[in-house]
């Protein structure tokens, strides 16, 4: 995640407009969340690339692809006016960008959207699947000149295993696991998926394995509670039971 965030920050600093691409659920939105967290924590590499970014705003692109309203001002122009002098210090994220902009019924509005993005905005991140990006480039060839593509690939097994270990330490550090269980989660799921869907590509990682890990954590957390935790919960229950009586008296 750190490598991805650092590279994303560098791409944004270099080109000012980035479109993140990758298969569905590969971690495109998560990468932006990680970048936002790095900015909030003043990560050294991130701040080196983006020292001017002070805030992050996100919009669903579908809400922006609309005809000009009564006064002839587009949605993006309204956003620029609202940001005012803070526009240059704001990271602007456009979710569902690929899905919205590849809808042919929105074509003439999309052209205006792309023009406005180029003329009025920098520090922009848009999100699209790989297929949406390819179609978008065919429909609007100038997109390649306006946006730098930042492709997120599904992680390999060993990298996914590292992410799972990190997830476990963050979300359930008290949980006891056997050595090699993370690799087992990854390979076992892949084997079962191949048996059931032999002609389909494997789901993106690490998202799929992280979901499996969280389900496992939920199942074993109760049976592996520390004695102190059990005692604390019992005491809390006793205090909660006494509260209504004490309140009445």
């Amino acid at each position: 995640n750190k490598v991805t965030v650092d590279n994303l920050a560098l791409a944004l600093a270099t080109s000012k407009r980035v479109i993140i691409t990758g298969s569905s659920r590969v971690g495109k939105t998560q990468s932006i969340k990680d970048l936002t967290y790095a900015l909030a924590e003043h990560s050294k590499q991130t701040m080196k690339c983006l020292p001017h970014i002070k805030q992050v705003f996100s919009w669903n692109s579908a809400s922006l692809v609309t005809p000009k309203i009564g006064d002839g001002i587009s949605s993006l122009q309204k956003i620029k006016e609202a940001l005012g002098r803070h526009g240059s210090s704001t990271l602007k994220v456009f979710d569902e960008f690929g899905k919205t902009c590849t809808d042919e019924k929105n074509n003439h509005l999309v052209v205006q959207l792309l023009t406005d993005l180029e003329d009025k905005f920098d520090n922009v991140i848009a999100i699209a699947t790989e297929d949406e990006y390819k179609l978008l480039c065919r429909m609007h060839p100038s997109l390649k000149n306006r946006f730098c593509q930042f492709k997120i690939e599904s992680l390999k097994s060993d990298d996914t295993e590292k992410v799972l270990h990190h997830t476990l330490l963050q979300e359930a550090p008290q949980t006891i696991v056997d050595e090699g269980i993370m690799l087992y989660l990854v390979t076992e799921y892949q084997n079962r998926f191949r048996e059931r869907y032999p002609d389909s590509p494997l789901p993106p990682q690490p998202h799929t394995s992280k979901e499996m890990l969280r389900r496992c954590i939920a199942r074993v957390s109760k049976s592996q509670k520390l004695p102190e935790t059990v005692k604390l919960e019992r005491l809390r229950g006793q205090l909660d039971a006494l509260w209504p009586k004490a309140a009445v008296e």
Side-chain angles (χ1 to χ4, degrees):
N1 281 356
K2 184 181 185 303
V3 174
T4 300
V5 168
D6 289 346
N7 289 339
L8 179 57
L10 181 59
L12 189 61
T14 304
S15 64
K16 303 300 182 184
R17 300 175 195 88
V18 173
I19 181 166
I20 299 179
T21 65
S23 58
S24 180
R25 305 181 80 184
V26 76
K28 299 184 294 295
T29 301
Q30 183 61 48
S31 297
I32 296 174
K33 291 179 180 179
D34 292 339
L35 176 61
T36 302
Y37 179 80
L39 288 168
E41 292 296 308
H42 301 286
S43 169
K44 183 176 180 180
Q45 181 61 31
T46 305
M47 295 307 298
K48 181 180 179 181
C49 294
L50 304 171
H52 56 291
I53 298 298
K54 306 301 181 184
Q55 58 187 355
V56 180
F57 281 95
S58 178
W59 295 271
N60 187 311
S61 298
S63 65
L64 304 177
V65 185
T66 56
K68 291 187 176 181
I69 50 185
D71 54 4
I73 300 177
S74 68
S75 298
L76 282 181
Q77 287 174 304
K78 285 287 188 182
I79 290 175
K80 185 179 180 182
E81 290 178 3
L83 291 175
R85 61 187 179 86
H86 302 291
S88 60
S89 63
T90 302
L91 175 59
K92 308 151 193 83
V93 179
F94 296 91
D95 202 0
E96 300 290 343
F97 185 81
K99 181 179 180 181
T100 300
C101 294
T102 52
D103 188 344
E104 291 187 356
K105 68 181 181 182
N106 295 328
N107 189 56
H108 66 291
L109 298 173
V110 170
V111 172
Q112 183 61 50
L113 175 65
L114 294 175
T115 301
D116 284 349
L117 282 176
E118 183 176 18
D119 294 343
K120 302 179 175 69
F121 288 89
D122 54 12
N123 305 317
V124 169
I125 296 180
I127 302 175
T129 66
E130 191 66 27
D131 291 339
E132 289 168 350
Y133 177 72
K134 291 177 181 178
L135 178 57
L136 196 52
C137 287
R138 289 198 296 269
M139 296 172 63
H140 306 281
S142 63
L143 182 78
K144 288 185 176 181
N145 297 325
R146 290 172 171 165
F147 284 85
C148 167
Q149 183 188 12
F150 187 86
K151 189 173 182 179
I152 296 182
E153 304 277 5
S154 182
L155 293 184
K156 297 179 180 178
S157 295
D158 54 345
D159 291 325
T160 300
E161 186 181 359
K162 294 176 184 177
V163 172
L164 295 184
H165 277 292
H166 181 70
T167 302
L168 181 66
L169 288 173
Q170 278 191 319
E171 301 183 10
Q174 77 283 359
T175 303
I176 303 171
V177 298
D178 293 332
E179 185 177 358
I181 189 64
M182 301 306 178
L183 183 59
Y184 173 80
L185 281 176
V186 177
T187 56
E188 184 67 13
Y189 180 83
Q190 290 176 345
N191 293 337
R192 292 186 181 185
F193 187 88
R194 287 192 180 100
E195 290 176 3
R196 192 170 182 179
Y197 308 103
D199 299 324
S200 301
L202 287 171
Q205 297 288 11
H207 181 85
T208 305
S209 293
K210 284 176 73 173
E211 285 190 341
M212 290 182 62
L213 176 62
R214 288 184 174 123
R215 289 200 293 268
C216 291
I217 291 173
R219 290 186 178 184
V220 305
S221 59
K222 291 184 178 180
S223 63
Q224 292 190 357
K225 284 184 179 178
L226 296 173
E228 292 80 4
T229 305
V230 176
K231 290 179 182 179
L232 183 61
E233 289 186 353
R234 187 182 299 121
L235 179 60
R236 186 180 291 114
Q238 292 172 351
L239 290 173
D240 289 342
L242 289 172
W243 173 248
K245 182 179 179 181
V248 171
E249 292 176 352

